[in-house]
């Protein structure tokens, strides 16, 4: 069996990091230049995952490695 990403746990991890850094969903939306916050809420609820580009940008915003956001 190969490793998979747990979307719900990853969303919870991103939410935890945002709280630790006092970042709002709106802050993340502005940083990523997204047209709406809906996709961010989907990430936080574990309904979807950020694209690789967005994961890379989030790692820069959060100042952590990309794999620190992803839960297996």
């Amino acid at each position: 069996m190969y490793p998979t990403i747990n979307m719900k746990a990853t969303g919870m991890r991103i939410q935890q990091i945002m709280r630790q850094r006092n970042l709002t969903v709106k802050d993340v939306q502005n940083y990523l230049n997204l047209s709406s916050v809906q996709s961010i809420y989907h990430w936080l609820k574990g309904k979807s995952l950020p694209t690789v580009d967005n994961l890379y940008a989030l790692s820069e915003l959060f100042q952590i490695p990309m794999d620190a956001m992803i839960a297996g």
Side-chain angles (χ1 to χ4, degrees):
M1 181 176 209
Y2 62 92
T4 59
I5 296 172
N6 183 323
M7 292 195 308
K8 188 156 184 76
T10 299
M12 290 171 58
R13 177 74 179 129
I14 292 170
Q15 196 168 32
Q16 175 188 32
I17 296 165
M18 287 173 61
R19 269 196 309 272
Q20 290 171 348
R21 288 170 172 62
N22 295 317
L23 293 169
T24 66
V25 171
K26 194 72 172 169
D27 294 332
V28 174
Q29 175 196 10
N30 290 335
Y31 183 79
L32 297 176
N33 198 28
L34 299 173
S35 58
S36 75
V37 295
Q38 197 63 34
S39 57
I40 299 168
Y41 283 118
H42 283 179
W43 304 340
L44 300 180
K45 292 178 182 178
K47 293 182 178 181
S48 65
L49 292 169
T51 62
V52 173
D53 288 344
N54 285 337
L55 276 174
Y56 180 71
L58 288 172
S59 75
E60 293 294 315
L61 175 64
F62 298 157
Q63 297 180 350
I64 60 172
M66 285 174 44
D67 62 340
M69 284 183 281
I70 299 169

